[in-house]
Amino acid sequence: MFVAELDAEIVGWGAREGEPNHISDLWVHPDHQGKGLGGALLLHLCELMTAEGLTTARIDTHARNMGAIRLYKRCGFTIIWHGIEFSSSMGVPLEKVHLEKQLG
């Protein structure tokens, strides 16, 4: 997990969990969105994966989270899957997209 701090306050984070090339979490406080923090965290995680010799990075989100999808596409990700997936944390099926980026 990596955090973005501003004036000693955590304003965002990114994390990898599960598969080595999967970005499991990316969050930026709403007051700080649109300032490049999410992109910086995302690209930092991709740089780490590249340094580890991985060839792709993956991230998933809700299909209606257009802000996140725009960010991921700006950072070089493309949608590789769109469908319904059961969310074990929420206990309901959700419309999701999976995105992938070629590294290297």
Side-chain angles (χ1 to χ4, degrees), residues 3-24:
V3 298
E5 290 185 55
L6 185 62
D7 298 326
E9 179 184 346
I10 294 174
V11 294
W13 71 74
R16 293 166 56 192
E17 186 176 20
E19 296 295 319
N21 70 334
H22 184 243
I23 299 167
S24 57

Side-chain angles (χ1 to χ4, degrees), residues 16 20-23 42 44-58 103:
R16 293 166 56 192
N21 70 334
H22 184 243
I23 299 167
L42 187 59
H44 178 70
L45 290 164
C46 289
E47 289 170 4
L48 290 173
M49 287 186 247
T50 299
E52 293 170 8
L54 298 171
T55 58
T56 60
R58 289 188 46 246
L103 301 173

Side-chain angles (χ1 to χ4, degrees), residues 80-100:
I80 59 167
W81 181 84
H82 181 165
I84 303 297
E85 189 171 74
F86 185 79
S87 168
S88 57
S89 63
M90 296 179 71
V92 296
L94 297 174
E95 184 181 8
K96 302 276 288 204
V97 292
H98 296 188
L99 299 95
E100 187 173 272

